[in-house]
């Protein structure tokens, strides 16, 4: 996207260019091999399962928040990753390359 394109979109009164740039900044992370991962409605095992990710999935992490402590293939953690609106997975099943936060805290 060129600078001219951004200026065009802004002068037209739209936020299309800003939204496109923000979406491009999202990093996708692999879930643990051989795992079908439960996606929950909140950051913990007490929240309902909204769907199950198939083996080999990659997920975006929009923000992270503390929740139920889980032990998984990538260690023990209380960090939960927000992968979509109202959808969370335990960070202990996501290969982020870090034991800590890799995204901003959810508000």
């Amino acid at each position: 996207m060129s600078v001219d394109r951004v200026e065009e979109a802004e002068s037209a009164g739209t936020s299309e260019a800003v939204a496109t740039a923000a979406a491009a900044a999202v990093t996708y992370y692999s879930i643990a091999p051989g795992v079908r991962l439960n996606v929950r409605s909140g950051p913990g095992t007490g929240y309902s399962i909204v769907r199950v990710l198939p083996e080999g999935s990659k997920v975006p992490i929009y923000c992270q928040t503390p929740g139920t402590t889980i032990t998984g293939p990538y260690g023990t953690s209380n960090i939960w990753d927000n992968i979509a609106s109202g959808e969370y997975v335990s960070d202990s099943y996501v290969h982020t390359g870090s034991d800590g936060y890799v995204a901003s805290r959810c508000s």
Side-chain angles (χ1 to χ4, degrees):
M1 177 182 296
S2 71
V3 173
D4 295 334
R5 174 71 178 113
V6 171
E7 290 171 2
E8 252 177 57
E10 288 175 0
S11 66
T14 69
S15 60
E16 176 185 318
V18 174
T20 302
V26 174
T27 301
Y28 282 75
Y29 299 91
S30 297
I31 64 168
V35 170
R36 294 181 66 232
L37 187 59
N38 291 335
V39 179
R40 297 191 175 266
S41 62
T45 55
Y47 290 89
S48 62
I49 296 171
V50 295
R51 64 184 171 125
V52 178
L53 296 174
E55 293 180 26
S57 293
K58 291 188 173 200
V59 294
I61 299 177
Y62 295 106
C63 62
Q64 295 176 297
T65 191
T68 305
T69 299
I70 299 293
T71 298
Y74 300 118
T76 300
S77 177
N78 74 332
I79 298 172
W80 285 73
D81 305 329
N82 174 252
I83 63 167
S85 179
E87 296 188 359
Y88 295 83
V89 295
S90 170
D91 194 63
S92 61
Y93 284 86
V94 180
H95 188 259
T96 62
S98 172
D99 288 337
Y101 287 86
V102 296
S104 60
R105 295 263 183 128
C106 301
S107 53

